[in-house]
Amino acid sequence: MLIAQLAVILFAAKLAGDAAARLGQPAVLGKLLIGIVLGPSMLGVIENTDWLHELSQIGVILLMFIAGLETDIDQFKRTGKAAFAVGVLGIAVPLLAGYAAGAALGMETGAALFLGLLLSATSVSISVQALKEMGRLQSKEGSAILGAAVIDDVLVVIALAFLLSLTGGDVDLGAVVLKKVVFFTVAVLLAWKAVPLILRWFAPLRVTEAVVSAGLIICFAFAWFAEATGVAAIIGAYIAGLGASFTDYREEVLDKAETIGYALFVPVFFTSIGVAADFSGVWQHWPLIFGWSVLAVLTKLVGAALGAKWAGFSWGSSLAVGAGMVSRGEVALIIAGIGLEAGLLDDELFAIMIIVVLVTTIVTPPLLKTIFSRLQPVRQTA
C-alpha cells in the first residue's frame, strides 16, 4: 500500500505541477490542489496516514535546508531591518484583528486572543518554493521574507506560551523564553564553527556521498534541536543550511540535497497538505470560513507590507513581502492543535480554522506570482 501510494503521489504531483506551470502559475499550486483531489475530500485514493505525515515532515525540513543553502548572506544582512519590521507588524495586525473579530462574535477573551495568535503564525515553506520557481529567493524581498519568518516563529511561540499561562495552561513562560535563547545561541555558534568542521571531517571518508550525508546529518540534527527547544523544525533546518552555505562544500551539498528532496520528499510534502484537508461537515459554516479566510489573508498581507514599507521598500516590493508571509502552513496547524487540547477551540471551530489555514496556503503561490510579475526582474547571485 505504501509503495503504491508513493507512486500515485509522485506521478500526480509532477503532472499537476506541470499543468499549473503551463497555466502561468507556480508548480507548487498544482501539487497542493492535486492533494485535495487525491485525498479523502474527493477521490479518497490517498489516506492521511502517519507515514505520509512523517515523509512530508522530511520534505519540508529538506526544503528549508535548501533555502538556507541558497540564501544570499549579504542580502540577508541588508534586509535585517525589514525582516524585523515585517515580523513584528506581520504579527501585530493579524493578532489585533483576529481578537477583535473573535470578540465581535461573542467569544471569551482568551479564545479571541488565541484566534488572533493563530492568524499571526507564518510558515514560509510554500513561499520558498514559489520564490525558487520565480527566481526570486535571493532577492531583497525573498531575504526579508525568510528573516521575518524566523522572527515570527519566535515571537508567536513566546506569545502562545504567555497566553496559555494566563488561561490556566501548565506553561512556564520563563522556561519557554530560556529555551528560545538557548536554541538560537547554540544553533548560531554551531552553524558558524561546527558545521564547517563536520563537513571537512566527512569529506575524505572512503564511502559514497560522504559530504551530502554530512549535510543531511547536520540538517536533521538542527531540526531536532529546534523542536526539542520549542522552535519550529524548519527554522533549525534553515539555520543549518545557512551554516553549510559558508563552506566550500555548498554547491555539492545543495546539488545532492535538491536531487534527494525534489525527487521524493518535497512533492510528498506539498501533496500531503491537500490530502490532510477534510471538508466533511464544515461547509455548512461557509460564511465563517469565507470571513476568517479573507481576514487571515488581508491582515497578514497588510501587516507585513506595512513593515516592509516602513523599512524603506517600495509599495510593490512591500506587497510582495506581505504576500510571502500569508501562508500559515504547518505552524498554524500545530498551534490550532494546541488550542484544541487546551480548550480554547472547540471541535467545530478547530475544523473551520484548519480550512482557513489551507486557504491561506493555496492562495499564496498565485498571489506571489501576480505581485512579483509587476516588479522589475532581478539578477540572481550565485
Side-chain angles (χ1 to χ4, degrees):
M1 190 64 173
L2 166 61
I3 297 173
Q5 291 198 2
L6 273 178
V8 171
I9 287 175
L10 293 177
F11 178 75
K14 295 301 181 182
L15 289 184
D18 178 72
R22 290 177 184 274
L23 293 172
Q25 295 299 321
V28 63
L29 179 62
K31 297 172 186 177
L32 292 171
L33 294 177
I34 200 64
I36 297 175
V37 174
L38 295 175
S41 296
M42 295 186 70
L43 298 181
V45 176
I46 306 297
E47 298 177 2
N48 186 25
T49 57
D50 289 339
W51 71 260
L52 183 63
H53 174 72
E54 295 301 327
L55 287 178
S56 70
Q57 282 295 100
I58 296 174
V60 69
I61 286 171
L62 286 175
L63 180 64
M64 294 306 293
F65 178 61
I66 292 167
L69 284 165
E70 292 187 327
T71 298
D72 182 339
I73 298 299
D74 291 333
Q75 183 71 268
F76 193 82
K77 292 176 181 177
R78 288 194 294 271
T79 56
K81 175 183 175 183
F84 180 79
V86 170
V88 172
L89 285 178
I91 290 175
V93 174
L95 176 61
L96 294 174
Y99 167 73
L105 292 173
M107 300 178 67
E108 295 182 357
T109 300
L113 280 172
F114 180 81
L115 276 179
L117 197 58
L118 180 61
L119 295 186
S120 302
T122 291
S123 176
V124 297
S125 52
I126 301 299
S127 299
V128 163
Q129 180 59 24
L131 290 168
K132 279 173 63 67
E133 292 179 20
M134 294 185 292
R136 295 281 190 164
L137 186 59
Q138 297 182 44
S139 65
K140 65 176 183 179
E141 295 87 2
S143 297
I145 290 168
L146 287 167
V150 176
I151 295 168
D152 189 293
D153 180 73
V154 174
L155 293 180
V156 166
V157 170
I158 292 175
L160 177 62
F162 183 73
L163 177 60
L164 291 176
S165 67
L166 289 178
T167 55
D170 187 18
V171 175
D172 186 341
L173 182 60
V176 169
V177 175
L178 179 61
K179 283 183 178 180
K180 304 297 174 294
V181 173
V182 168
F183 167 74
F184 281 100
T185 302
V186 173
V188 169
L189 285 175
L190 289 176
W192 179 28
K193 295 293 186 181
V195 169
L197 290 176
I198 294 171
L199 288 170
R200 281 200 299 271
W201 181 68
F202 263 77
L205 296 183
R206 288 178 287 183
V207 293
T208 56
E209 304 297 353
V211 172
V212 70
S213 294
L216 293 177
I217 291 169
I218 293 166
C219 167
F220 294 133
F222 272 65
W224 168 81
F225 181 42
E227 280 200 332
T229 52
V231 178
I234 58 176
I235 301 300
Y238 179 68
I239 293 176
L242 283 177
S245 71
F246 284 106
T247 71
D248 295 334
Y249 306 101
R250 172 185 176 274
E251 293 300 329
E252 183 178 355
V253 174
L254 175 60
D255 181 59
K256 299 295 176 60
E258 284 188 326
T259 299
I260 295 169
Y262 285 103
L264 173 61
F265 296 104
V266 174
V268 170
F269 163 64
F270 291 133
T271 306
S272 71
I273 294 175
V275 172
D278 186 359
F279 301 120
S280 58
V282 299
W283 289 120
Q284 59 183 317
H285 304 295
W286 70 265
L288 279 176
I289 294 173
F290 177 79
W292 281 110
S293 296
V294 171
L295 188 69
V297 172
L298 289 182
T299 53
K300 200 67 167 181
L301 176 66
V302 171
L306 288 176
K309 182 60 179 175
W310 178 81
F313 282 39
S314 68
W315 275 116
S317 292
S318 298
L319 288 173
V321 172
M325 299 293 288
V326 164
S327 175
R328 304 316 200 270
E330 73 281 355
V331 175
L333 295 179
I334 293 170
I335 293 175
I338 293 172
L340 180 65
E341 185 178 342
L344 293 170
L345 293 179
D346 57 29
D347 291 338
E348 189 176 273
L349 188 54
F350 174 77
I352 290 172
M353 296 314 295
I354 294 301
I355 302 301
V356 171
V357 170
L358 180 64
V359 170
T360 65
T361 302
I362 290 175
V363 303
T364 295
L367 188 60
L368 277 168
K369 177 82 172 182
T370 299
I371 295 175
F372 268 105
S373 66
R374 300 175 183 275
L375 299 180
Q376 291 295 321
V378 295
R379 181 177 63 85
Q380 297 299 304
T381 57

